[in-house]
Each structure stands twice: as C-alpha cells, then as structure tokens.
Amino acid sequence: MNSETPNDEREVIIDAEGEPLGGFLTLPPGSHTLVLFAHGSGSSRFSPRNRAVAAELNRAGFGTLLFDLLTADENRIDEQTREYRFDIPLLAKRLTGALDWAHLQPDLAQRHYGLFGSSTGAAAALIAAALRPTLVRAVVSRGGRPDLAGQALPRVQAPTLLVVGSEDHQVIELNREAAAAMGQPPQLELVPGATHLFEEPGTLDQVVRLAIDWFDTHLS
C-alpha cells in the first residue's frame, strides 16, 4: 500500500431499517475489507478507545465503520434513563441494519466484513453474525459480554476472538461460559495486567495487535 495515498474518510448517514445513524467511514487505498464497530453501553462513534483501535486497523489496511447504535433522540433519553444501552435486541437490530446498508453501497458491497464489539456491543456483534452468516467473516470482542447474546450463541459461524483483561475476573468467567455455548468454539485471549477498559499502559496496544492478526487471518 502506498503510504502517501490518503485514506478515503467521510461522514455517512446509515439507514438502519429506517433509523438514520451517524457514522465515520474510513477506507484505506487498496482495502477490500470493512470492520464495523459496535460500541459498549453509554458510548458512541466518538469512543476514544474504539477510534484508537480503528485508526490502527486503518494503518494495517482495513476499512472501518464507526457509527452510533442509537439515534440522537434515543441517546438523549438514554443519558437520563439508561433504558437503551442494555437493550441488546435493539443494538443487534441496528448493527444488522448497518451490515445490510453497507452491503447495498456500491463501494462497500463486495468487501469482506468483520465486526468489532466492545462491552454490550459484543453481544450485538454475535447476534448480527448469527443473523447474517454469509456476510460476517470474523468477530472480535474487546472486554465484551458475549453471554448477553443468549440463544444466538450456538448459531454463530464466524471465527470469533474474545479478548479480556486478565484482571477482569467476572467478565473472564462470563466469556468462558459464553464460549462453551457457541457452536464454533472461539479463541479466548487474556491481556496480562488489564482491567475491563484496558486503561493500563500498553494493554490496548495488545488488543490492537490481536485484532489485526485475527482480521488479517480471516478477512484477507
């Protein structure tokens, strides 16, 4: 890839089954992939951690789509009531809608799709993978709650990587329980010294390396 050629970066409005959702689409030159991000509870397309991960994926040649899972009105309500951030069926519906939207765009339709989910967004990613098995080729979960995907877990066919901090003990157990329920056994990686948000120095870098390797193996 020519490092002097700039990425195609643009703001987009995604029609997710009739709901307009704002997003940031970044397509490195020569890329044939697209990784859609599903952020965690109470977050948005402006999430610093997901933006950092997306930027590193872009440098590695992967296209990325960061977008809001809630509309502006829903987000305002959620800031007061928190009634939407744990609505996993709604989040999964929006992510699936974003996949369908991407598949209809002329410059995105033929790409290999991956999903990157964080916290509750990981459950939405696994449900979307189960609902769109011919589209989703790989899933990465960062500090995720795959257990919240419930009955969708046995139907997930996409190769899945579960990344959890070694100090995030409760979430480790929830990931192990979810892994046991999945039809295709996922790979579980523990990042040494990391807690739930991977705020410790160097831990998010390790997540990035694991994600790049996973998507490089299953999307390229």
Side-chain angles (χ1 to χ4, degrees), residues 61-107:
F62 296 97
T64 57
L65 177 60
L66 286 158
F67 69 100
D68 292 334
L69 291 169
L70 301 179
T71 66
D73 287 341
E74 289 169 344
N75 188 61
R76 280 192 290 270
I77 295 171
D78 186 70
E79 287 177 352
Q80 301 296 322
T81 67
R82 302 192 174 193
E83 66 185 87
Y84 291 115
R85 63 185 64 187
F86 292 105
D87 189 340
I88 306 301
L90 173 66
L91 303 182
K93 180 180 178 181
R94 297 287 168 77
L95 180 55
T96 305
L99 270 169
D100 293 341
W101 172 87
H103 195 53
L104 292 174
Q105 306 309 303
D107 59 341

Side-chain angles (χ1 to χ4, degrees), residues 37 39 43-55 66 142 204:
F37 280 68
H39 53 72
S43 188
S44 73
R45 69 185 187 273
F46 299 102
S47 161
R49 292 180 186 84
N50 279 347
R51 286 176 68 86
V53 174
L66 286 158
R142 173 183 67 79
L204 190 61

Side-chain angles (χ1 to χ4, degrees), residues 2 8 10-11 45 62 72 79 82 89 91-92 94 105 118 131 143 158 164 183 189 194 211 213:
N2 184 352
D8 176 2
R10 49 190 138 126
E11 289 196 47
R45 69 185 187 273
F62 296 97
E79 287 177 352
R82 302 192 174 193
L91 303 182
R94 297 287 168 77
Q105 306 309 303
S118 303
L131 292 172
V164 186
E189 292 282 351
D213 287 347

Side-chain angles (χ1 to χ4, degrees), residues 167-181:
E167 303 305 309
D168 196 4
H169 302 295
Q170 182 178 5
V171 173
I172 290 173
E173 291 308 311
L174 293 171
N175 273 253
R176 285 176 172 156
E177 292 172 10

Side-chain angles (χ1 to χ4, degrees), residues 11-62:
E11 289 196 47
V12 294
I13 299 296
I14 298 163
D15 181 358
E17 299 188 5
E19 295 293 351
L21 306 173
F24 299 129
L25 176 67
T26 304
L27 303 175
S31 169
H32 299 288
T33 60
L34 185 65
V35 177
L36 290 80
F37 280 68
H39 53 72
S41 55
S43 188
S44 73
R45 69 185 187 273
F46 299 102
S47 161
R49 292 180 186 84
N50 279 347
R51 286 176 68 86
V53 174
E56 292 301 321
L57 288 176
N58 297 150
R59 291 188 185 95
F62 296 97

